[in-house]
Amino acid sequence: MKIALGLAAGFVVLTLASFLPMQKKKVIFFGDSITQAAVKPGGYIVKVGDMAAAEKLSDRYDFIGAGIGGNKVYDLFLRMDDDVLSKRPDVVIIYIGVNDVWHKRSYGTGTDADKFERFYTAIIKKLQAANCKIALCTPAVIGERTDSSNELDGDLNLYSNMIRNLAKANSLPLIDLRKAFLDYNLKENKENKESGILTTDRVHLNEKGNELVASEMWKVLKAL
Amino acid sequence: MKIALGLAAGFVVLTLASFLPMQKKKVIFFGDSITQAAVKPGGYIVKVGDMAAAEKLSDRYDFIGAGIGGNKVYDLFLRMDDDVLSKRPDVVIIYIGVNDVWHKRSYGTGTDADKFERFYTAIIKKLQAANCKIALCTPAVIGERTDSSNELDGDLNLYSNMIRNLAKANSLPLIDLRKAFLDYNLKENKENKESGILTTDRVHLNEKGNELVASEMWKVLKAL
Amino acid sequence: MKIALGLAAGFVVLTLASFLPMQKKKVIFFGDSITQAAVKPGGYIVKVGDMAAAEKLSDRYDFIGAGIGGNKVYDLFLRMDDDVLSKRPDVVIIYIGVNDVWHKRSYGTGTDADKFERFYTAIIKKLQAANCKIALCTPAVIGERTDSSNELDGDLNLYSNMIRNLAKANSLPLIDLRKAFLDYNLKENKENKESGILTTDRVHLNEKGNELVASEMWKVLKAL
Amino acid sequence: MKIALGLAAGFVVLTLASFLPMQKKKVIFFGDSITQAAVKPGGYIVKVGDMAAAEKLSDRYDFIGAGIGGNKVYDLFLRMDDDVLSKRPDVVIIYIGVNDVWHKRSYGTGTDADKFERFYTAIIKKLQAANCKIALCTPAVIGERTDSSNELDGDLNLYSNMIRNLAKANSLPLIDLRKAFLDYNLKENKENKESGILTTDRVHLNEKGNELVASEMWKVLKAL
């Protein structure tokens, strides 16, 4: 009897489990205009959703965009309570850095390298304190030329190196978009064009660009 | 009896008060290189100390410099726990803004106007939460020409206006160094020189400049 | 006979002169995008033409636009042979300076103050060598706020001062658009707006702006 | 007799030749602060002289420095009559470009890429019209890191490419200092330092840097 009862109880639990909704992972994509556009049709967040669906994993994830145009690392810092922590995410993908470099040129208000690291670290610490899993992205491109002659390549490499080091130092997964974009362009951009391969305008993603970002992110997300 | 006792008790209290050490007000000057230099002989913090001494008020104040070269508003924000709040000041004089404007030109890493206001407000709120009295300074000059032809005059006026508005909105005393410096130069800089009147190099204070800043600050400090 | 012939010949000449078309003054407006737009309907060159017509002076002038967007003083220098001297103008109105200041901020490629003066002087010398009459304009505005808080006011004042000095030093008429715009805004821009009074976007002229520029230019042109 | 006479005549010619002064080639080094420093002891122009001496070729060359600190391509253009053409040089080594890129960052007054090419071309044409031989140098470095992470690497590569193309298009010898410096650093700068390998301060040459520039230049000069 006892054994039978045990088996029966086990059966019931199992049955309940299969009826109960799966606990979904809430994933927030935290970034700038590239991420702001990513929730639109064809955007990389939509495509990550498609990739999850193709593997029948849609019920395991909630994908939420939290991108605002023009944001730099300290904008993320200033709005992370309101836009990220208040939503209690399980995973946060940080994708920032383009404007920290670009705004040096266009507005004179880029971010000093040492300050970039300090604010980035502050964001990581605060997310970790809230028990979020985190993945870090390098900023992909400002210009797609492959011979290191895009005006801001030097600085973009420097800030990407800082993010790579932050990932290593904090044992966090890295989504190295800058490397992925350069590798892709070395194959597909034989004419050394400034844009039109993965971006529409040297910075913002075209369809191929959204696909590449989505697939790089999904690889890392699945494993988290 | 009751009356006599009352008098006696009153006497005791009075006596104790005159023997007990005065509770000194701890005043922290929170700023950039101008404030970093201000603790050296001839610097404006030393001169504020002299002014207090001249009025026999030295025992009422502890004057502490907390200036670091190159600091912008978000540097103050990042180090305020370590360098200000940990010292439990009674009064904090915030003197920042020159580099927020200047670094747009020299490094491409100045501070956006809206971000300047957000970080400045965050500093005020945090100091108020710690029960500090606060006074705000406008950034004096980057260039002493009096005909509005210093390269960064426009932006320096804009950021000074923001600080004036923050003082008003938060009912905080304003030490309007920019106005004081312009008024002084209109009188004393008839040749419309770039520097040498109140500064050595368009930005950092010479002796007259330190005196002017000290006297403007002391006027406000005494009344706090 | 001799006398009669002389009289007759004199008569013939006089008669021919009254039938021959007036020699028109060729006036070239030499500048940047503001001047490029000025030949369109409602533009300031069209309006100068209207003002000439209203005074029945249309047959005395040919008004020609030679503005190219983004031009700085050395762009004028580089293209003055092709775009100005080759057309043998009688009068050249030089209207340059906005981008020399503005591009410091937006592209990092503004013009050093001393180089601005050198190239400007080289243009004047070359036009004078070709016997052109010349009038110089100060750059009007980058932002219409009236309290000297437009970001680039300081530099725009400095470069305007240089142009005023060049006019004086070379005894050339000055069309002081910067002064005219500030005076107008002090009356009409009580809310201290950045744009919308004389410009559409802080720099380029709306209808009122085109009118003001045209009337300032026409005053000087008539007297040349 | 005839033969003896022939020999005698030959002897005479030889004798005259050894008494007549060799026609020296006047070589002008035309550039910025790097070239201004190059005439000092240890400077690259002095070292080129030493290299000529070591090959007993001192009597064939006059080496003249024409470098001025802060110069950009249009500074060379503006002063080439006074500082170069008036001296009737046989050879001009053009070494410019660092400030055209660097001043974008430090003063907001760098040179637009298309304007760089136009002024550079104008200099070449004017030197060619004066029958000067010309060699073009690429700007070596602003920062010696070897992983393309110096802030201005992208732009410096772009402007170097323009100079390489100008050399090719005009069939002029190229002294590719940028390539030479990168090759050297890849071997000798294993720690990826910003300076101290070939420069003192990321830009200006130390002893090794002066040696490398001198030897690259001497190779080309000898063959001209």
Side-chain angles (χ1 to χ4, degrees):
Chain A
M1 273 298 282
K2 251 181 179 176
I3 290 164
L5 194 65
L7 280 173
F11 179 70
V12 169
V13 168
L14 206 68
T15 306
L16 272 175
S18 57
F19 281 107
L20 276 174
M22 275 289 294
Q23 185 69 22
K24 282 186 167 190
K25 271 189 189 170
K26 189 179 281 188
V27 181
I28 292 186
F29 300 84
F30 195 26
D32 55 28
S33 58
I34 299 170
T35 298
Q36 189 171 18
V39 296
K40 294 179 193 162
Y44 79 74
I45 297 178
V46 174
K47 285 182 188 294
V48 168
D50 294 345
M51 292 171 184
E55 302 188 24
K56 317 264 183 220
L57 295 171
S58 291
D59 57 350
R60 301 240 191 113
Y61 293 100
D62 253 350
F63 298 118
I64 299 172
I68 291 187
N71 268 205
K72 293 176 288 214
V73 71
Y74 49 71
D75 295 290
L76 299 196
F77 177 81
L78 285 168
R79 68 186 181 86
M80 70 184 295
D81 287 327
D82 292 344
D83 293 359
V84 176
L85 293 176
S86 67
K87 294 177 180 161
R88 305 186 161 273
D90 300 287
V91 180
V92 177
I93 313 282
I94 305 174
Y95 181 6
I96 200 73
V98 167
N99 294 317
D100 298 88
V101 168
W102 199 9
H103 288 194
K104 291 190 190 181
R105 164 57 52 245
S106 48
Y107 301 110
T109 56
T111 309
D112 304 290
D114 59 335
K115 252 42 82 45
F116 184 82
E117 198 170 341
R118 285 201 62 176
F119 278 112
Y120 208 121
T121 302
I123 292 169
I124 291 172
K125 295 302 170 208
K126 221 167 156 179
L127 289 174
Q128 287 178 326
N131 285 318
C132 299
K133 290 189 174 176
I134 310 169
L136 312 186
C137 302
T138 53
V141 288
I142 304 175
E144 301 193 56
R145 288 198 212 110
T146 57
D147 62 346
S148 292
S149 74
N150 302 293
E151 184 181 359
L152 302 174
D153 272 349
D155 231 20
L156 214 49
N157 287 334
L158 184 69
Y159 285 59
S160 293
N161 285 344
M162 287 195 290
I163 292 170
R164 289 168 188 138
N165 291 338
L166 283 167
K168 194 176 291 179
N170 293 281
S171 303
L172 296 172
L174 177 73
I175 302 167
D176 199 342
L177 299 177
R178 182 147 182 80
K179 185 179 180 315
F181 271 55
L182 183 57
D183 289 348
Y184 187 97
N185 266 289
L186 282 169
K187 276 188 218 139
E188 305 295 336
N189 183 10
K190 295 296 185 198
E191 294 174 53
N192 204 27
K193 290 187 197 168
E194 269 213 318
S195 63
I197 312 301
L198 293 166
T199 72
T200 56
D201 61 355
R202 301 188 309 133
V203 170
H204 297 92
L205 308 175
N206 66 11
E207 203 196 327
K208 290 278 182 198
N210 274 299
E211 253 172 58
L212 182 54
V213 170
S215 73
E216 291 293 314
M217 286 193 175
W218 178 235
K219 272 192 287 183
V220 170
L221 264 175
K222 273 197 299 188
L224 277 181
Chain B
M1 276 295 284
K2 252 182 177 173
I3 289 164
L5 194 64
L7 281 172
F11 179 69
V12 170
V13 168
L14 207 69
T15 306
L16 271 175
S18 58
F19 281 107
L20 276 174
M22 275 291 294
Q23 184 69 24
K24 282 187 167 191
K25 272 189 188 169
K26 189 178 281 189
V27 181
I28 292 187
F29 299 85
F30 195 28
D32 55 28
S33 59
I34 299 170
T35 297
Q36 189 172 19
V39 295
K40 293 180 194 162
Y44 79 76
I45 297 177
V46 174
K47 284 182 190 292
V48 167
D50 295 345
M51 290 171 185
E55 302 187 24
K56 317 262 184 222
L57 295 170
S58 290
D59 56 350
R60 301 240 191 115
Y61 294 99
D62 254 349
F63 297 118
I64 299 172
I68 291 187
N71 268 203
K72 292 175 288 213
V73 70
Y74 50 71
D75 295 290
L76 299 196
F77 176 81
L78 284 168
R79 68 186 180 84
M80 70 183 295
D81 287 328
D82 292 344
D83 293 359
V84 177
L85 293 175
S86 68
K87 293 177 182 161
R88 304 185 162 273
D90 300 287
V91 180
V92 178
I93 313 280
I94 305 174
Y95 181 4
I96 201 74
V98 167
N99 294 317
D100 298 87
V101 167
W102 198 10
H103 287 193
K104 290 190 190 182
R105 165 57 50 246
S106 48
Y107 301 110
T109 57
T111 309
D112 304 289
D114 59 334
K115 254 39 84 44
F116 184 80
E117 199 170 341
R118 285 201 61 175
F119 278 112
Y120 209 120
T121 301
I123 293 170
I124 291 173
K125 296 302 170 207
K126 221 167 157 179
L127 289 175
Q128 285 178 327
N131 285 319
C132 300
K133 289 188 175 177
I134 311 169
L136 312 187
C137 302
T138 53
V141 288
I142 303 174
E144 301 194 55
R145 289 198 212 110
T146 58
D147 62 346
S148 292
S149 74
N150 302 292
E151 185 181 359
L152 303 174
D153 273 348
D155 231 18
L156 215 49
N157 288 334
L158 183 69
Y159 285 58
S160 293
N161 285 344
M162 287 195 290
I163 292 170
R164 289 168 188 139
N165 291 337
L166 282 167
K168 194 176 291 179
N170 292 282
S171 303
L172 295 173
L174 177 73
I175 301 168
D176 199 342
L177 298 177
R178 183 147 181 80
K179 185 180 182 315
F181 271 54
L182 182 57
D183 290 348
Y184 187 97
N185 266 289
L186 282 169
K187 276 189 218 137
E188 305 294 336
N189 183 10
K190 296 295 185 198
E191 294 174 54
N192 203 28
K193 290 186 196 167
E194 270 214 316
S195 64
I197 312 299
L198 293 166
T199 73
T200 57
D201 62 355
R202 302 190 307 135
V203 169
H204 296 94
L205 308 175
N206 67 12
E207 204 196 327
K208 290 279 181 194
N210 274 299
E211 254 173 56
L212 182 54
V213 169
S215 72
E216 292 293 313
M217 287 194 174
W218 178 235
K219 271 192 287 183
V220 169
L221 264 175
K222 272 197 301 188
L224 276 182
Chain C
M1 273 298 282
K2 254 181 177 172
I3 289 163
L5 193 67
L7 280 171
F11 179 69
V12 170
V13 169
L14 206 70
T15 306
L16 272 174
S18 56
F19 283 105
L20 278 172
M22 277 290 293
Q23 186 68 23
K24 282 186 168 189
K25 273 190 187 168
K26 192 178 278 185
V27 181
I28 293 186
F29 300 84
F30 196 26
D32 55 28
S33 59
I34 299 170
T35 297
Q36 189 171 21
V39 296
K40 294 180 192 161
Y44 78 76
I45 297 178
V46 174
K47 285 183 190 292
V48 168
D50 295 345
M51 290 171 185
E55 304 189 22
K56 316 268 185 214
L57 296 170
S58 290
D59 55 351
R60 301 238 192 118
Y61 294 99
D62 254 350
F63 298 118
I64 300 172
I68 292 187
N71 268 204
K72 293 175 288 213
V73 70
Y74 49 70
D75 295 289
L76 298 196
F77 176 81
L78 285 168
R79 67 186 181 88
M80 70 183 296
D81 287 327
D82 293 343
D83 293 359
V84 177
L85 293 176
S86 69
K87 294 177 180 160
R88 304 186 161 274
D90 301 286
V91 180
V92 177
I93 313 281
I94 306 173
Y95 181 4
I96 199 73
V98 167
N99 293 317
D100 297 89
V101 167
W102 198 9
H103 288 194
K104 290 190 191 182
R105 165 58 50 246
S106 48
Y107 301 110
T109 57
T111 309
D112 304 289
D114 59 335
K115 253 43 83 43
F116 184 81
E117 198 170 342
R118 285 202 60 176
F119 279 111
Y120 209 120
T121 301
I123 293 170
I124 291 172
K125 296 304 172 205
K126 222 168 156 179
L127 289 174
Q128 287 179 326
N131 286 316
C132 300
K133 289 188 174 177
I134 310 168
L136 312 186
C137 303
T138 52
V141 289
I142 304 173
E144 301 194 55
R145 287 196 211 111
T146 58
D147 62 346
S148 292
S149 74
N150 302 292
E151 183 180 1
L152 303 174
D153 272 348
D155 231 18
L156 215 49
N157 287 334
L158 184 69
Y159 285 58
S160 294
N161 285 344
M162 287 195 289
I163 292 170
R164 289 167 189 142
N165 291 337
L166 283 168
K168 194 176 290 179
N170 293 281
S171 302
L172 296 173
L174 177 73
I175 302 167
D176 199 342
L177 300 178
R178 182 146 181 82
K179 185 179 182 316
F181 271 55
L182 183 57
D183 290 348
Y184 187 97
N185 265 289
L186 282 169
K187 277 189 217 135
E188 305 296 335
N189 184 8
K190 297 295 186 200
E191 293 173 54
N192 204 27
K193 290 186 196 168
E194 269 213 316
S195 65
I197 311 301
L198 293 165
T199 73
T200 56
D201 62 355
R202 300 189 309 136
V203 169
H204 296 91
L205 308 175
N206 66 12
E207 203 196 329
K208 291 278 181 196
N210 274 299
E211 253 172 56
L212 183 53
V213 169
S215 71
E216 292 293 313
M217 285 194 176
W218 179 235
K219 271 191 287 183
V220 169
L221 265 175
K222 273 197 299 188
L224 276 181
Chain D
M1 272 297 284
K2 252 183 175 171
I3 288 162
L5 193 66
L7 281 170
F11 177 74
V12 171
V13 169
L14 206 70
T15 308
L16 272 173
S18 57
F19 281 106
L20 278 172
M22 275 291 293
Q23 186 67 24
K24 283 186 167 189
K25 272 190 187 168
K26 190 178 279 186
V27 181
I28 293 186
F29 299 85
F30 196 26
D32 56 27
S33 60
I34 298 170
T35 297
Q36 188 172 21
V39 295
K40 294 180 192 160
Y44 79 76
I45 298 177
V46 174
K47 284 182 189 292
V48 168
D50 295 345
M51 290 171 185
E55 302 188 25
K56 316 267 185 215
L57 296 170
S58 291
D59 55 352
R60 302 241 191 115
Y61 293 99
D62 254 350
F63 297 118
I64 300 172
I68 292 187
N71 267 205
K72 293 175 289 214
V73 71
Y74 50 70
D75 295 291
L76 298 196
F77 176 81
L78 285 168
R79 67 185 182 86
M80 70 183 297
D81 287 327
D82 293 344
D83 293 359
V84 177
L85 293 175
S86 68
K87 293 177 181 159
R88 304 185 161 273
D90 301 287
V91 180
V92 178
I93 313 281
I94 306 174
Y95 181 4
I96 200 73
V98 168
N99 294 317
D100 298 88
V101 167
W102 199 8
H103 287 194
K104 290 190 192 183
R105 164 59 50 247
S106 48
Y107 302 110
T109 58
T111 309
D112 305 289
D114 59 335
K115 252 43 83 44
F116 184 80
E117 198 169 342
R118 284 202 62 175
F119 278 111
Y120 209 119
T121 301
I123 293 170
I124 291 173
K125 296 303 172 205
K126 221 167 157 180
L127 289 173
Q128 286 178 327
N131 286 316
C132 299
K133 288 188 175 178
I134 311 169
L136 312 187
C137 302
T138 53
V141 288
I142 305 174
E144 301 194 55
R145 288 196 211 111
T146 58
D147 62 347
S148 293
S149 74
N150 302 292
E151 183 181 0
L152 302 174
D153 272 349
D155 231 19
L156 216 49
N157 287 334
L158 183 69
Y159 284 58
S160 294
N161 284 345
M162 287 196 289
I163 292 170
R164 288 167 189 140
N165 291 338
L166 282 168
K168 193 175 292 178
N170 292 281
S171 302
L172 296 173
L174 177 73
I175 302 168
D176 199 342
L177 299 177
R178 181 144 183 82
K179 184 180 182 314
F181 271 55
L182 182 57
D183 289 348
Y184 187 97
N185 266 288
L186 282 168
K187 277 189 217 135
E188 304 296 336
N189 183 9
K190 296 294 186 199
E191 292 173 55
N192 203 28
K193 290 186 196 168
E194 269 214 316
S195 65
I197 311 300
L198 293 165
T199 73
T200 56
D201 62 354
R202 300 189 309 136
V203 169
H204 296 93
L205 309 174
N206 67 12
E207 204 195 330
K208 290 278 182 196
N210 275 299
E211 253 173 58
L212 182 53
V213 169
S215 72
E216 292 292 314
M217 286 194 176
W218 179 234
K219 270 191 287 184
V220 169
L221 264 175
K222 271 196 301 188
L224 276 181

